[in-house]
Amino acid sequence: MEQSPQIGDRITDKSSPPDDGTVRNWIGPKASEHWAELRSWIEVYYPGVFAPEWLYGGRKRGWSLRYKKTRAFCTFLPEYRRLSVVVVLGGAEREKFEERRHAWRSQLVKLYDEAKTYPDGRFLTVAVSSAADRHELTELLIMKRPPRSRG
């Protein structure tokens, strides 16, 4: 008997990457709105820079949608009834984060402080469940890679 999905479970059917409808049904209406807003924001602020790519991380990690040029920008994790986004901060980005440490919300600073630092950076998995979360995530992404001026 198959167990019903738990909050945070990933899409693990490896036969093909999930389509928009599958993602929407899996993450739910609220998370879906954040998913669409963030994807649209990336297209507006970084036009033609990234080609989002679906990656399959195995049965435990499932599918994720990565935005990358030469280095990873961010990775969307469609989880059951929620959305998380992974942002890797390298050395220069960690310095910038520390300079603005007082400006970030306490939840993000706690996440940053608790994240393990690996040779390729500090991996932050940011849960996005409100407009404030989304705004802070976009600020983090702008800090990581400033967009080209749009005009």
Side-chain angles (χ1 to χ4, degrees), residues 1-3 8-15 26 55-63 78:
M1 186 171 124
E2 197 161 313
Q3 190 177 337
D9 283 355
R10 306 275 180 85
I11 300 172
T12 57
D13 174 8
K14 71 177 184 179
S15 60
W26 188 254
L55 304 173
Y56 185 71
R59 285 186 53 180
K60 187 175 178 196
R61 291 199 172 96
W63 288 100

Side-chain angles (χ1 to χ4, degrees), residues 84-102:
S84 294
V85 179
V86 176
V87 180
V88 180
L89 300 180
E93 290 117 358
R94 290 195 307 271
E95 283 180 28
K96 289 179 194 172
F97 187 94
E98 289 292 349
E99 287 169 10
R100 293 177 53 185
R101 186 179 185 87
H102 64 281

Side-chain angles (χ1 to χ4, degrees), residues 133-150:
D133 293 340
R134 203 171 60 228
H135 175 74
E136 190 160 64
L137 176 65
T138 59
E139 290 298 309
L140 190 62
L141 292 171
I142 288 169
M143 181 199 77
K144 180 177 170 72
R145 181 185 179 130
R148 291 197 187 112
S149 63
R150 298 185 302 152

Side-chain angles (χ1 to χ4, degrees), residues 13-14 22 29 37 39-40 49 80-81 103 117 121 137 140 149:
D13 174 8
K14 71 177 184 179
T22 302
E37 289 281 340
R39 292 201 63 191
S40 173
V49 173
Y80 188 68
R81 298 297 173 251
T117 303
L137 176 65
L140 190 62
S149 63

Side-chain angles (χ1 to χ4, degrees), residues 14-35:
K14 71 177 184 179
S15 60
S16 66
D19 60 21
D20 289 342
T22 302
V23 170
R24 211 174 18 258
N25 291 337
W26 188 254
I27 67 178
K30 282 188 86 165
S32 230
E33 191 179 306
H34 300 305
W35 173 277

